[in-house]
Amino acid sequence: MEARYICRTFSNAPPKLQPAKPFAQFAASYDTNLKKKNETMTNVLNAMSREPRGNSKRARLYDKKQAQRADPEKELRAMDMERQIHRNWKHGDVYAPHDLSFVENQKWAKKKPRDRDVFDQLGINPLDEYKNMAMMQEYTTSMGRIKHRKETGLRAVNQRRISKAIRRAVGMGLIPSVHKHPEMLEVDAEKKNRRLYMQQLREAIWAPSPATIRGQPTQLSCDSNGERLAYASNKSIFLRSIDHPSHATQYTSHTATTTVARFSPSGYYVASGDVTGTVRVWDCVGEGATKGTYQIISGRINDLAWDGESQRLIAVGEGKEKFGHCITADSGNTVGEISGHSSQINSVSVRQQRPFRAATGSDDTSLAFFHGAPYKFNTSLRKHQRYIYGVAFSPNGGSLVSVGADRKVWLFDGKTGEARSEIGRDEHRGSIFAVSWAKDSRRFVTSSADQTVKIWDVEAGKAVQTWRMGEEGAVSIQDHQVGVVWPAGRSDGLVISLNLMGDLNYLQEGIPKPQRVVQGQQKNITAVTSSTQPTSDPTFFAGSSDGRIVAWDTATGTGETIDGDAHKNYISGLAASGGRIYSVGWDDTLRSIDVSAKTFTGSFTRTDGQPRGVCCSRDGKYTFVATHKGITMLSQKDNLVTRQVSTSYSPTTIAAGESHIAVGGDDSVQHMFNIDLSHLKDVPPYPSQVTAFAFSPSSNHYLAVGMASGKIVVYEPNNPTPVTERWSSHTGRVTSIDWDEQGERAVSGGLDTNIFVWSIAKPGQRISVNAAHKEGVNGVRWLGRDRVLSAGGDAAVKVWKVEGTV
């Protein structure tokens, strides 16, 4: 019972002390008095409710509160709303509907002090741990400074205790005062060597294509030497060699879908943005360490621009309160404001010479001109009638060009912002998405939705060369040119354009056709296989969630998109047999690919349900398709259905051996069939769902079973006793398993982003690659005896060298 106290003062005389009453008597008298008071209050309220009240403001307010009390649910909803509104609104404040949103109100919420921290949870007094140098070093910087409470996350009391413990350890000479302890530096060196070892294991990254969106520009950036190309793809940033596209590096620190990446003029750093409005500045020469992470706006970052000194950075995009901001690259301090627009900003460019100037193009059809630094709004120019998609200062700073959805090209003075002229009216027949200058500042190149890329001469005011992509006279949406860059530092006049499919077209001045087309996946890779032709360098096939299948030449690392009547969406399985690749997708079709021609054969077979997987018999006669309804057996000779088996469970994966078919179901049971689909046996249920199968070569007949829990069990198909159950290092769903040619080692990949190489001879040992693919590993295949190919959610294909024995 909660005690309530009422303090009353009757006189100035001191109170008289009353003898203490027994507790039971006191409690009884307290309850009686409280009951009388409640009855009196109830009678008063009833009398008030019966009395007629006027139409006064106080009476109406009282009626409103009484009505709320009569509806408890309504009162609770009102209390919940009040609890979410942290801002103290005052009379006369002006607000927008967005100001009442949950995200905006969280900015006004007061942070509550921690009730418990790590020391409280472990029951440790930091003062008693002053001899624990590992713990002390955890709360100090690399220069020996004590970390702030914002970094440690400790309560004030424990922060003072750990600070006192660190000073005590320094005073006693247990830890250095200006750097980490030598033993801790040795541990850090081991971690660094481990990362370097992983990089040594990775031989190559075959990068995906840039991410594109129909009707929006895609930004491409080139370094000052004209050697590397930077672009965004999924949640990663890729730096790709222009001359050797199979050589690339990947930056994976973004936690959301990336949108743009820009090299600094010095060539040492890259700034990249994502859809959450976060900008990261990182080292592109060394290990890719992040130098700074800054929250710029509350929406997508559309473009970035460096100044000529590689010190300041302007980020623009689709914000709420603002559409851009200017910061220093090393600290994130504000060095100007980006204003003058009423809609999202699509492009930004900075003059590389002093006095600095900046220009932005927006969906509000205006071009804003800024003076800096610090950058301040100077003027707004409205020469376009529709969205402005691209702005760019010439390398010498003398000119500024803008392009947009109205198919116009405008030139401005690079120092004053005054409009000079419009050139090439009606040259482009579609929206102009991107523009880039040549290093001589006399020419620039544009790319358009009319499938053309044009080079313009500034003095002549006209286009001097045009490339048209796609078939002559045919309209192709996939050939819309949404990005372009003219790499500086090169003498060969190379221009690189990007189409909506993500293909990079290498264009040469004076040559009417592209010299090279670099292709790859754009979306999450969901299925992989390799050709079975007897060659030392087989072809690696990868299917993605958008229905695209790419054939990768393992000798050169180049990809080629399979032409023909392709799947319309998610590829759920690939299998190789007799010079053909069989694929199934969520368009409920089975299709085949000619490996030598790298094209679909044109014929397809409808499945009886949504396909979950596909496999082929080793004699090259039959194809087996698992759908959510059952299993279908088809003849590879004419693609006719030979037999169908309906199942009471929903199959999840399927694999074919020499004389057995293994099927995993959502009932967590391994179902075994003969090669003619006659039922053989069921293995007792596993603790979790079966997600991957792999039969070893015919020399030893092993079957590896991967599960959703991350465990892998190896059987002999005719023996119910497991060969080994010790392959259990994955912490997530096992997505793919593959055996080497001898059938003694297996490689596995999982959603935990890790790859493991296992051995039957030494089941307790393994070779591991951690964080192999961002968003998980979806496919692994052996390439010879000492190399492994992998593909994953980042849409990249990677080659790993297997060193050591297991």
Side-chain angles (χ1 to χ4, degrees):
M1 181 180 66
E2 182 181 357
R4 299 181 181 180
Y5 300 92
I6 301 176
C7 179
R8 294 187 179 93
T9 302
F10 296 96
S11 65
N12 293 329
K16 295 181 180 181
L17 297 177
Q18 301 293 333
K21 296 180 180 181
F23 178 76
Q25 183 181 357
F26 172 79
S29 62
Y30 178 83
D31 290 340
T32 303
N33 293 334
L34 185 60
K35 185 177 180 180
K36 290 181 180 179
K37 290 179 179 179
N38 289 338
E39 290 177 355
T40 304
M41 184 60 68
T42 302
N43 294 333
V44 172
L45 291 176
N46 290 336
M48 291 177 62
S49 62
R50 289 192 297 268
E51 291 180 1
R53 295 185 305 275
N55 195 23
S56 64
K57 182 177 180 181
R58 179 173 297 180
R60 290 195 303 270
L61 182 61
Y62 176 81
D63 292 339
K64 183 178 180 181
K65 288 186 176 295
Q66 287 297 105
Q68 288 182 353
R69 289 171 182 167
D71 187 357
E73 294 184 1
K74 188 174 182 181
E75 185 176 4
L76 287 175
R77 288 196 299 270
M79 292 173 62
D80 290 339
M81 289 293 293
E82 292 178 0
R83 202 175 292 118
Q84 294 178 17
I85 299 177
H86 302 286
R87 183 173 177 178
N88 185 19
W89 292 95
K90 297 180 181 179
H91 182 72
D93 287 348
V94 179
Y95 68 92
H98 172 72
D99 295 331
L100 303 179
S101 65
F102 175 78
V103 176
E104 187 66 23
N105 276 284
Q106 286 299 107
K107 299 177 182 179
W108 296 85
K110 294 182 179 179
K111 294 184 179 179
K112 296 181 179 180
R114 283 178 174 265
D115 296 330
R116 292 171 62 84
D117 56 28
V118 63
F119 290 117
D120 295 328
Q121 294 173 1
L122 297 177
I124 297 176
N125 186 352
L127 285 174
D128 298 335
E129 302 294 331
Y130 67 94
K131 296 181 182 179
N132 188 342
M133 63 177 181
M135 182 181 292
M136 298 300 104
Q137 297 286 289
E138 190 70 24
Y139 293 95
T140 58
T141 65
S142 59
M143 301 301 292
R145 303 289 296 274
I146 300 174
K147 292 183 179 179
H148 193 272
R149 185 182 168 195
K150 293 180 180 179
E151 298 180 61
T152 62
L154 300 176
R155 293 192 302 119
V157 173
N158 285 332
Q159 179 69 25
R160 290 193 294 270
R161 289 174 179 171
I162 193 67
S163 301
K164 188 174 181 179
I166 293 172
R167 288 191 291 268
R168 181 182 296 176
V170 172
M172 297 177 65
L174 300 178
I175 60 175
S177 60
V178 294
H179 59 80
K180 288 189 175 182
H181 193 278
E183 292 186 13
M184 303 307 298
L185 291 174
E186 185 177 353
V187 172
D188 293 343
E190 290 179 359
K191 292 180 180 179
K192 182 177 180 180
N193 291 334
R194 194 177 299 116
R195 289 194 299 268
L196 293 176
Y197 174 68
M198 290 175 59
Q199 292 179 1
Q200 290 173 0
L201 285 179
R202 187 178 62 221
E203 282 192 351
I205 298 178
W206 300 341
S209 298
T212 58
I213 300 176
R214 183 179 178 182
Q216 292 188 18
T218 298
Q219 310 296 343
L220 302 176
S221 177
C222 181
D223 64 3
S224 56
N225 297 324
E227 297 175 351
R228 292 183 297 174
L229 192 68
Y231 57 81
S233 179
N234 298 300
K235 294 184 179 181
S236 302
I237 299 295
F238 289 91
L239 307 183
R240 197 168 191 175
S241 172
I242 293 177
D243 296 321
H244 306 283
S246 60
H247 299 166
T249 57
Q250 181 182 9
Y251 178 75
T252 59
S253 293
H254 282 279
T255 58
T257 303
T258 54
T259 55
V260 60
R262 293 286 188 182
F263 280 102
S264 66
S266 65
Y268 293 111
Y269 299 103
V270 169
S272 55
D274 59 33
V275 294
T276 65
T278 301
V279 171
R280 294 178 182 268
V281 179
W282 44 281
D283 175 20
C284 64
V285 177
E287 299 179 5
T290 302
K291 301 299 181 181
T293 302
Y294 315 114
Q295 186 67 36
I296 303 299
I297 55 179
S298 56
R300 171 191 170 96
I301 299 292
N302 286 335
D303 200 5
L304 297 162
W306 292 82
D307 70 352
E309 299 172 353
S310 299
Q311 294 181 357
R312 287 164 285 271
L313 189 66
I314 297 180
V316 298
E318 185 179 0
K320 303 298 183 183
E321 298 83 10
K322 57 183 180 181
F323 302 105
H325 200 53
C326 182
I327 60 172
T328 55
D330 55 350
S331 63
N333 294 331
T334 299
V335 287
E337 295 183 355
I338 302 300
S339 58
H341 290 292
S342 60
S343 187
Q344 72 168 0
I345 302 176
N346 297 316
S347 180
V348 61
S349 182
V350 175
R351 189 172 185 261
Q352 301 296 292
Q353 298 81 13
R354 288 184 178 271
F356 289 134
R357 300 289 186 264
T360 56
S362 168
D363 276 0
D364 61 7
T365 73
S366 67
L367 185 148
F369 200 75
F370 300 84
H371 287 187
Y375 291 92
K376 296 181 180 180
F377 176 79
N378 176 256
T379 185
S380 179
L381 304 170
R382 293 188 177 270
K383 297 296 183 180
H384 291 271
Q385 278 71 50
R386 298 183 66 187
Y387 303 153
I388 298 178
Y389 285 138
V391 294
F393 281 93
S394 61
N396 62 10
S399 300
L400 169 69
V401 62
S402 67
V403 297
D406 57 358
R407 301 173 291 179
K408 293 183 178 180
V409 180
W410 274 92
L411 288 172
F412 304 87
D413 185 273
K415 187 174 181 179
T416 64
E418 295 179 359
R420 288 180 179 171
S421 62
E422 177 191 354
I423 64 174
R425 179 183 289 271
D426 296 332
E427 280 281 349
H428 278 296
R429 301 295 181 179
S431 298
I432 307 175
F433 287 118
V435 59
S436 181
W437 284 88
K439 62 180 180 180
D440 58 7
S441 299
R442 297 179 179 177
R443 295 166 299 162
F444 60 85
V445 61
T446 58
S447 62
S448 171
D450 61 3
Q451 305 174 217
T452 64
V453 176
K454 295 178 180 290
I455 292 181
W456 302 80
D457 186 291
V458 175
E459 294 182 358
K462 63 179 182 180
V464 295
Q465 184 165 354
T466 300
W467 294 276
R468 191 184 189 281
M469 311 302 167
E471 297 181 5
E472 192 66 31
V475 177
S476 172
I477 295 176
Q478 304 299 337
D479 285 311
H480 286 187
Q481 303 299 303
V482 297
V484 70
V485 64
W486 199 325
R490 300 180 70 97
S491 57
D492 55 0
L494 177 68
V495 172
I496 300 176
S497 71
L498 173 70
N499 67 11
L500 189 61
M501 283 283 289
D503 299 340
L504 295 169
N505 302 301
Y506 285 44
L507 309 173
Q508 202 85 26
E509 286 186 88
I511 301 177
K513 294 294 182 180
Q515 294 296 290
R516 186 177 193 176
V517 179
V518 178
Q519 297 179 324
Q521 254 98 8
Q522 281 187 306
K523 301 294 183 180
N524 170 26
I525 295 177
T526 55
V528 299
T529 192
S530 56
S531 65
T532 56
Q533 291 179 333
T535 60
S536 57
D537 296 308
T539 304
F540 182 76
F541 290 84
S544 55
S545 59
D546 58 355
R548 185 184 308 183
I549 298 178
V550 176
W552 294 91
D553 187 339
T554 57
T556 62
T558 57
E560 182 179 348
T561 302
I562 302 300
D563 295 326
D565 187 11
H567 290 279
K568 303 300 186 292
N569 47 29
Y570 191 98
I571 304 293
S572 56
L574 294 174
S577 178
R580 293 285 179 92
I581 301 295
Y582 293 89
S583 64
V584 291
W586 282 5
D587 55 359
D588 296 349
T589 60
L590 167 69
R591 301 173 188 266
S592 59
I593 300 170
D594 189 328
V595 174
S596 58
K598 294 181 181 177
T599 182
F600 284 94
T601 58
S603 62
F604 64 88
T605 303
R606 289 284 178 185
T607 60
D608 63 339
Q610 186 182 81
R612 302 296 177 83
V614 62
C615 63
C616 298
S617 61
R618 295 192 175 180
D619 58 8
K621 293 182 179 180
Y622 301 105
T623 302
F624 302 89
V625 179
T627 69
H628 74 286
K629 294 182 179 180
I631 308 164
T632 303
M633 179 180 178
L634 302 98
S635 171
Q636 293 187 10
K637 184 177 181 180
D638 49 16
N639 283 339
L640 295 179
V641 175
T642 303
R643 185 175 182 182
Q644 275 187 325
V645 176
S646 298
T647 57
S648 59
Y649 53 88
S650 180
T652 56
T653 183
I654 188 171
E658 190 71 25
S659 57
H660 297 88
I661 303 295
V663 178
D666 57 1
D667 55 357
S668 301
V669 176
Q670 172 188 333
H671 304 273
M672 299 298 295
F673 295 83
N674 291 316
I675 203 69
D676 60 353
L677 281 190
S678 60
H679 187 267
L680 180 63
K681 63 178 179 179
D682 290 340
V683 178
Y686 292 106
S688 60
Q689 194 177 96
V690 177
T691 56
F693 283 123
F695 281 95
S696 65
S698 57
S699 57
N700 46 26
H701 302 296
Y702 289 131
L703 172 62
V705 183
M707 307 177 199
S709 62
K711 188 175 182 179
I712 300 175
V713 181
V714 179
Y715 290 93
E716 291 179 353
N718 295 321
N719 188 351
T721 303
V723 177
T724 181
E725 296 179 290
R726 301 180 63 184
W727 297 359
S728 56
S729 295
H730 282 290
T731 58
R733 175 190 295 265
V734 178
T735 56
S736 181
I737 307 173
D738 190 43
W739 292 89
D740 65 358
E741 294 178 354
Q742 289 71 33
E744 295 294 334
R745 294 183 301 171
V747 59
S748 64
L751 287 184
D752 57 0
T753 73
N754 300 329
I755 297 174
F756 293 100
V757 177
W758 313 93
S759 172
I760 291 290
K762 300 178 180 179
Q765 299 182 15
R766 64 188 181 276
I767 297 175
S768 62
V769 177
N770 299 326
H773 287 271
K774 194 175 180 68
E775 304 295 313
V777 180
N778 293 333
V780 289
R781 285 293 183 274
W782 282 95
L783 185 62
R785 284 191 54 84
D786 58 352
R787 291 196 298 169
V788 169
L789 288 174
S790 66
D794 54 7
V797 177
K798 299 183 181 181
V799 185
W800 307 90
K801 186 176 182 181
V802 179
E803 294 182 344
T805 58
V806 292

